[in-house]
Amino acid sequence: MMRITFLGQAGLFVETSHGSILCDPWFNPAFFASWFPFPSNEGIDRDLIGRPDYLYVSHLHHDHFDPKFLTEHVSKDTRVLLPDYPLDHLEKALREIGFSEFVHTKNGQPQDVDGLRFAIMALVAPTDGPIGDSALLIDDGETRIFNQNDSHPVDLEALRELGPFDAHFLQFSGAIWYPMVYNFPHRMKEALGRKKRINQQARTFRYVQQIDAAHVFPSAGPPCYLDDDLFELNDFNRDPSNIFCDQTVFIEYLQEHGNDRGRLVIPGSVITLERAGMTVRHPVSDQEARAIFLDKGGYLRAYQERQKPVIDAIKAAWPNGQIDVLSSIKERFEPLLALADLTCRGVNARVLLDCRTEQIVIDFMDRTVYRWNGEYCRYRFRIAPELVESCLMQGLEDWVNELFLSCRFQAERDGPYNEYVYNFFKCLTPERLEYAEGYYEEQSPVAELWECDGYLVQRRCPHLKADLTRFAQVEDGVLTCTMHGWQFELATGRCLTSDDRTLYTEPARATEEKPA
Ligand code: FES
């Protein structure tokens, strides 16, 4: 028997006879106090879930990774089930708050730990979450669930082969700033919102069909917005142009499309899964559970009232002119722009950060940062200076995972969406940027070679794709990638630091054969 307590958003506490797994517990407001779990999970006893056998954090977005909750409530003896991400940011973040026991997984490969069988599907494109998103399969020998949360796996055939599944948990709502923050004309924004709402439900429905689980639990969103500045973003009345449709809307969508497997859960609902069937018990009566969605305005206003002191305290702590924003951005971004060949080519424009007190241009053509002087900028962001300052003072490596997801900004652009712009803001360290650059390069039909010490060598390091034209040092025929120190023999391409990679090399000039 599997017993699953729904914790809100993507949070699950899964209990089996082979141990328990705490998945993506999120309790503290995220992204500059803009996102809160909806419905509220204030009623969950946090200490009751604090000693699981395993912890699974799908990725680093703060509605999945809540360092405050993990620090204060979860035993650091817990073993962490770690997705197979090429960059180790998730492991580092968990180590920083005290976790030290990790079960490293291989992408999509089932493994057993003390009788519990699980597999983690890791998605690793720069566009997947904060460079890395994942889904979890759990099998206790009697029932099997697939916790997709907000990831978008692509290899559905492989997934189906791991089934059949008794339960499928997945995101059905938007979880982004588009189109709300854009200064589009009202009717255009409405049309874009409507299209997005339809597309995201259709995409979720395709996953539901493919996974074909006996029961479908809409989870992992939407959040709700409780700050006065953002309150109107909530979908109060099933607005067809609002991207944050709720669970009940998606369950009805399933029904309209001939699927009656959708099940409503709210934080505190307990799902019992057995071979014989499934039951759901809510922490309140069914009628009270439904009432949350029927009178969402009233529900959210009461929730807002309770959380107001929390929001006020967070906002009061935002910095206020402690640093020089222009010179900090210049110092931080210009060395990155120098590395970002493909990103700069992909953006090929100026980006304006209009921070009220200071207007700053990030020029992806000249690879420089300077004070705005009226130049034309194709992409324009208006952001409160305290938020930019906060990102800089915290040394954030990924501004999407704080600033952009907060929806606390306005945007304008000429022309279509350009993913290189936002991906740059996710990659604010050389390591992240090199990874993204290498990823883009691998998508290009022509893999680049460069000449090094008499050899033509693949340009991207086989470890994490650093650009070897910048990060290689050669001594005695051995190339060292200075990003993490991996070494390769130039004559053979053999890796001296790992046995599962090679570097492509060939002599730069064929040696002239002597005539016989
Ligand atoms: S990218 Fe890690 S050693 Fe090259």
Side-chain angles (χ1 to χ4, degrees):
M1 183 187 85
M2 213 183 271
R3 203 179 115 101
I4 304 161
T5 306
F6 181 62
L7 305 176
Q9 192 73 353
L12 303 176
F13 184 55
V14 182
E15 296 167 275
T16 78
S17 50
H18 303 292
S20 57
I21 307 181
L22 178 61
C23 306
D24 284 345
W26 173 44
F27 292 93
N28 294 291
F31 314 125
F32 288 123
S34 62
W35 286 37
F36 286 76
F38 172 78
S40 159
N41 57 7
E42 294 154 294
I44 303 264
D45 184 340
R46 300 174 194 199
D47 291 320
L48 281 184
I49 55 174
R51 299 200 70 82
D53 294 292
Y54 306 100
L55 170 70
Y56 165 68
V57 175
S58 61
H59 61 293
L60 275 170
H61 276 163
H62 289 303
D63 55 321
H64 298 257
F65 171 61
D66 179 346
K68 180 169 159 57
F69 168 77
L70 294 173
T71 303
E72 292 172 359
H73 295 276
V74 178
S75 161
K76 302 305 170 294
D77 297 335
T78 306
R79 281 199 277 177
V80 179
L81 306 179
L82 201 65
D84 186 9
Y85 289 148
L87 300 174
D88 61 357
H89 301 129
L90 178 58
E91 179 172 349
K92 272 190 191 147
L94 288 161
R95 281 192 188 278
E96 263 170 35
I97 53 176
F99 293 94
S100 58
E101 297 285 324
F102 291 88
V103 179
H104 290 90
T105 62
K106 287 273 180 222
N107 180 21
Q109 289 181 19
Q111 68 188 79
D112 282 276
V113 183
D114 303 334
L116 192 66
R117 193 168 165 77
F118 64 89
I120 299 180
M121 291 76 200
L123 295 138
V124 299
T127 41
D128 287 313
I131 314 186
D133 200 352
S134 69
L136 172 70
L137 174 155
I138 307 172
D139 182 343
D140 68 351
E142 186 185 344
T143 52
R144 187 179 298 136
I145 67 170
F146 183 52
N147 173 16
Q148 184 178 332
N149 67 74
D150 65 3
S151 70
H152 298 149
V154 279
D155 193 353
L156 296 176
E157 269 314 300
L159 262 174
R160 279 175 74 93
E161 276 168 26
L162 295 170
F165 296 97
D166 299 284
H168 184 187
F169 297 80
L170 81 169
Q171 186 187 55
F172 55 95
S173 136
I176 192 131
W177 53 85
Y178 171 87
M180 302 83 71
V181 303
Y182 280 92
N183 288 336
F184 295 140
H186 180 67
R187 288 182 62 164
M188 179 180 169
K189 212 192 273 199
E190 250 190 18
L192 292 170
R194 191 170 289 129
K195 193 164 152 212
K196 176 143 180 58
R197 182 165 165 126
I198 291 169
N199 286 348
Q200 71 207 13
Q201 292 191 76
R203 179 181 61 201
T204 310
F205 185 59
R206 280 197 296 279
Y207 277 116
V208 166
Q209 284 178 306
Q210 290 292 324
I211 301 298
D212 199 24
H215 306 282
V216 177
F217 296 92
S219 62
C224 62
Y225 297 86
L226 300 182
D227 187 358
D228 277 337
D229 296 346
L230 303 166
F231 200 60
E232 288 309 312
L233 293 179
N234 297 303
D235 181 14
F236 296 105
N237 297 311
R238 298 178 160 229
D239 172 0
S241 63
N242 186 303
I243 70 163
F244 300 116
C245 64
D246 68 39
Q247 297 69 340
T248 60
V249 172
F250 185 66
I251 289 171
E252 282 170 28
Y253 178 95
L254 288 178
Q255 284 164 349
E256 284 158 17
H257 290 77
N259 182 311
D260 62 358
R261 302 180 190 181
R263 312 281 178 253
L264 179 68
V265 280
I266 61 171
S269 296
V270 177
I271 303 157
T272 306
L273 273 178
E274 292 171 287
R275 255 190 213 120
M278 187 278 308
T279 56
V280 176
R281 190 168 37 80
H282 296 311
V284 293
S285 71
D286 287 2
Q287 207 180 359
E288 286 169 302
R290 286 261 155 206
I292 296 170
F293 303 91
L294 292 174
D295 176 21
K296 205 187 285 176
Y299 179 83
L300 288 178
R301 268 184 286 279
Y303 190 2
Q304 180 186 43
E305 205 46 47
R306 297 193 299 278
Q307 292 296 328
K308 192 173 180 323
V310 176
I311 296 171
D312 289 346
I314 292 173
K315 288 173 99 168
W318 289 345
N320 186 9
Q322 271 99 320
I323 57 168
D324 181 320
V325 171
L326 172 61
S327 59
S328 301
I329 292 189
K330 192 173 173 61
E331 193 181 314
R332 183 93 190 270
F333 286 16
E334 281 189 349
L336 296 169
L337 290 168
L339 297 175
D341 294 351
L342 297 177
T343 303
C344 289
R345 214 179 294 163
V347 178
N348 194 28
R350 297 185 193 94
V351 172
L352 176 67
L353 294 188
D354 178 352
C355 304
R356 223 164 43 217
T357 46
E358 185 89 271
Q359 279 108 14
I360 297 160
V361 177
I362 305 166
D363 189 329
F364 286 82
M365 299 177 295
D366 285 353
R367 306 195 187 196
T368 48
V369 173
Y370 47 85
R371 178 167 288 129
W372 186 56
N373 202 19
E375 299 83 353
Y376 169 68
C377 297
R378 188 183 307 155
Y379 306 100
R380 303 172 291 278
F381 296 104
R382 189 165 310 129
I383 308 169
E386 55 270 27
L387 303 187
V388 173
E389 212 180 323
S390 175
C391 291
L392 289 164
M393 286 175 71
Q394 291 179 69
L396 295 186
E397 301 178 355
D398 176 357
W399 286 19
V400 169
N401 190 13
E402 191 68 37
L403 176 60
F404 291 109
L405 280 168
S406 76
C407 293
R408 293 184 186 275
F409 69 104
Q410 290 171 335
E412 286 177 0
R413 66 175 190 230
D414 299 323
Y417 172 73
N418 183 329
E419 80 173 32
Y420 290 96
V421 174
Y422 289 107
N423 277 354
F424 174 75
F425 286 102
K426 278 186 192 178
C427 295
L428 299 176
T429 61
E431 187 184 45
R432 282 173 173 262
L433 193 71
E434 285 294 314
Y435 180 75
E437 287 279 307
Y439 193 90
Y440 297 143
E441 193 168 306
E442 277 172 8
Q443 312 307 304
S444 121
V446 186
E448 262 189 86
L449 298 178
W450 64 292
E451 194 166 338
C452 168
D453 208 36
Y455 290 88
L456 291 178
V457 176
Q458 78 181 62
R459 181 162 170 186
R460 292 283 162 183
C461 175
H463 178 220
L464 289 180
K465 308 180 203 291
D467 181 351
L468 292 174
T469 63
R470 295 188 169 107
F471 289 91
Q473 276 176 3
V474 179
E475 207 179 314
D476 297 336
V478 172
L479 180 153
T480 302
C481 171
T482 55
M483 181 63 85
H484 307 100
W486 282 35
Q487 294 189 306
F488 304 87
E489 212 171 51
L490 280 173
T492 60
R494 193 164 66 92
C495 181
L496 307 177
T497 31
S498 163
D499 53 12
D500 64 346
R501 315 284 165 95
T502 47
L503 180 76
Y504 179 82
T505 66
E506 63 180 47
R509 268 182 298 277
T511 44
E512 240 178 79
E513 281 188 32
K514 267 193 189 158

